[in-house]
Amino acid sequence: MNQVRVRFAPSPTGYLHIGGVRTALFNWLFARHEKGVFILRIEDTDRARSTPEAIQAILDGMKWVGLGWDEGPIYQTDCLAIYKEQADRLLAEGKAYLCYCTEEELDARRKEALARKELPKYDGRCRRRSGAAPAGVSPVTRFVSPQDGQTIVHDLIKGDVTFDNAQLDDLVIVRSNGVPTYNFGVVVDDARMAITHVIRGDDHLNNTPRQILLYRALGYEPPQFGHLSMILGMDKVKLSKRHGATSVLEYQEAGYLPEALTNYLVRLGWSHGDQEVFSSQEMIEKFSLENITRSPAAFNPEKLLWLNGHYLKTGDTKRVAELLLPFLRKRGVLDGGAQPDSAWLEKLVVALRERAQTLVEMADKAAPFFQESVIMDQEAAKKFLTAAVRPAFARLVAVLEQTSVFEHDALEQGFKSVLAETGLSMGKLAQPVRVALTGTTVSPGIFDVMALLGRERTLARLKKAIDLMG
RNA sequence: GGUCCCAUCGUCUAGCUUGGCCUAGGACGGUGCCCUCUCAAGGCAUAAACACGGGUUCAAAUCCCGUUGGGACCA
């Protein structure tokens, strides 16, 4: 069998959305699994709606999620001459014709047909037109579509889907301004790029019979098709902006890890037994078109969050620490130019990652470790920084001043000696200390907090708390 | 309106091809318990589904037909 060649072909009319990423991911996985080629093609023939910003957003999004392409990006607007050439060929072979019907005429006829309860398709009258071309009308090019028989799509995911050719009309392949229509551009490109498998959303399933007919008319063997079901929102309606973030880059900004997003997305419509967590290597090894579900899937943000938390916990600490930096800066936790000690930052990540599901959350929780002095939660202070614990605090300060290594185990030992002396339980002392050190009632383990803060800040904060006790 | 697609716990899904191993499994979320210096994380347990109606068959989540519901495309 020939080498697999697949493509992802977004229109740059907006950001790269989640559904698009999943389509791209499945194509990419298939290509990698089959040791084939993954091509990126930008379908920018809709010039009114395509923007350079959108193109950039697509490229950035693809890079962020780690879907590298082997060929491209190829822009359709660079290929206009090729579509024209192919359309001219069809014209010359009598497989296409020029149509001079105006928008108004077509509209009127459509309404008439509807009134007669007939199919409102083009009646093909310009097919039979003879004589001179009407003046002042720039024609569109229409494809001569067979009116009998059936076209069967042997879909890799949906199975065989049969369409009556009588349903299809003579579709426009080139507009009056010379720009190819979507269906024509796709076919010409997929054919000349020797695409072997077209894996795309099932919103294109209905276009497929027309495309197969076009392939044949152009003298190409159609590729294999695989139509993926759509991703829906939790309310079972097609995923859109009102469901929250739908652009990949929004997920980046919200503190998600790309591997969490791809892992989440791969399980939306595909499975490998009961396995939920896949490294990208595993995905490539195990991916197959046979295990794709036919039914549409609802996007569940909570499961994505869980996976993100999982990857935050299990990911390489050095990498997580690096990824965290921009979030610390953005949250104003860290000054723009400041560069924290990397070993220390990794320790902070280890302490925080059990309790954060996103990098944004982690950056928030990191705040007390960067501030010179704590921002005290007044209610917590009132409740925990009472005169009753002052003697214990005083003892703790004395002990900590003597502690030679300011690290977890030594700190625990010192802390516990204070408990033994004062007769306080762990909880009775740890919670006030937590408030004194972080300003809040929630934090990593208290010994980790002290170690992370270091001797100086720990002692300063404890002393300040003693003052607050009045 | 026409054409096409889809239908298992709230959600993602396994099982459906080749009916019996399904008193329907896993995961997220929920609930409860354990662990515990807080919050998490973790562990254990638990509730929760074969859309409906007909067939076929000794036997159907699995095969067939219909209904209903959802979605897409075209208009």
Side-chain angles (χ1 to χ4, degrees), chain A residues 33-184:
Chain A
H33 181 85
E34 301 289 337
K35 306 213 177 350
V37 177
F38 176 58
I39 301 166
L40 179 63
R41 183 172 76 222
I42 307 291
E43 308 214 324
D44 56 349
T45 54
D46 184 347
R47 285 178 145 150
R49 299 201 301 143
S50 299
T51 64
E53 292 75 34
I55 291 172
Q56 197 53 50
I58 289 168
L59 301 182
D60 290 347
M62 294 286 287
K63 278 182 202 148
W64 181 65
V65 291
L67 302 180
W69 51 92
D70 307 307
E71 291 179 19
I74 291 154
Y75 297 88
Q76 284 193 318
T77 45
D78 291 342
C79 312
L80 260 19
I82 296 165
Y83 309 120
K84 180 166 190 326
E85 195 181 294
Q86 296 295 316
D88 287 346
R89 221 181 82 212
L90 291 180
L91 239 23
E93 292 171 4
K95 290 172 181 167
Y97 58 92
L98 296 177
C99 169
Y100 292 86
C101 297
T102 63
E103 218 37 71
E104 297 75 49
E105 288 168 346
L106 292 173
D107 218 46
R109 272 180 249 152
R110 199 176 292 132
K111 280 181 186 141
E112 280 170 38
L114 240 26
R116 288 196 305 270
K117 296 200 183 239
E118 286 173 11
L119 218 57
K121 60 178 197 176
Y122 182 65
D123 58 11
R125 68 176 62 187
C126 286
R127 242 200 231 199
R128 304 177 297 271
R129 197 183 53 79
S130 56
V137 182
S138 37
V140 299
T141 308
R142 282 188 187 271
F143 175 61
V144 178
S145 194
Q147 289 305 295
D148 46 24
Q150 298 181 317
T151 300
I152 301 170
V153 179
H154 300 288
D155 196 274
L156 264 8
I157 294 162
K158 306 274 186 188
D160 283 3
V161 184
T162 306
F163 295 85
D164 281 331
N165 290 341
Q167 294 291 331
L168 313 173
D169 57 2
D170 288 352
L171 83 152
V172 175
I173 55 174
V174 181
R175 298 192 183 87
S176 55
N177 61 4
V179 176
T181 55
Y182 169 75
N183 281 307
F184 189 60

Side-chain angles (χ1 to χ4, degrees), chain A residues 221-297:
Chain A
E221 193 53 35
Q224 307 238 65
F225 291 97
H227 286 95
L228 265 14
S229 288
M230 306 271 82
I231 297 179
L232 311 175
M234 276 301 269
D235 51 7
K236 292 290 190 175
V237 178
K238 192 177 174 183
L239 196 64
S240 69
K241 279 180 210 119
R242 56 185 196 78
H243 293 105
T246 54
S247 151
V248 235
L249 296 175
E250 281 176 66
Y251 283 92
Q252 179 184 24
E253 277 172 39
Y256 287 84
L257 264 20
E259 59 268 39
L261 190 62
T262 50
N263 194 152
Y264 176 70
L265 254 18
V266 83
R267 285 287 289 107
L268 224 46
W270 176 80
S271 60
H272 185 267
D274 286 338
Q275 190 170 348
E276 295 288 349
V277 176
F278 296 85
S279 69
S280 85
Q281 250 336 295
E282 280 178 302
M283 282 188 225
I284 291 169
E285 278 166 28
K286 294 173 175 172
F287 188 78
S288 74
L289 260 22
E290 290 85 71
N291 293 318
I292 293 177
T293 336
R294 289 191 294 262
S295 53

Side-chain angles (χ1 to χ4, degrees), chain A residues 399-461:
Chain A
V399 168
L400 293 183
E401 274 170 342
Q402 300 305 312
T403 304
S404 52
V405 250
F406 221 74
E407 275 165 20
H408 185 286
D409 291 359
L411 291 166
E412 178 170 6
Q413 213 182 351
F415 195 94
K416 291 210 164 140
S417 73
V418 174
L419 292 182
E421 275 178 53
T422 58
L424 287 174
S425 69
M426 184 70 195
K428 281 277 182 288
L429 185 56
Q431 198 59 356
V433 169
R434 170 169 289 111
V435 173
L437 297 181
T438 67
T440 71
T441 55
V442 173
S443 83
I446 201 67
F447 312 123
D448 289 324
V449 171
M450 292 192 282
L452 250 7
L453 247 20
R455 168 181 269 114
E456 233 170 87
R457 283 192 293 176
T458 299
L459 288 171
R461 290 179 188 191

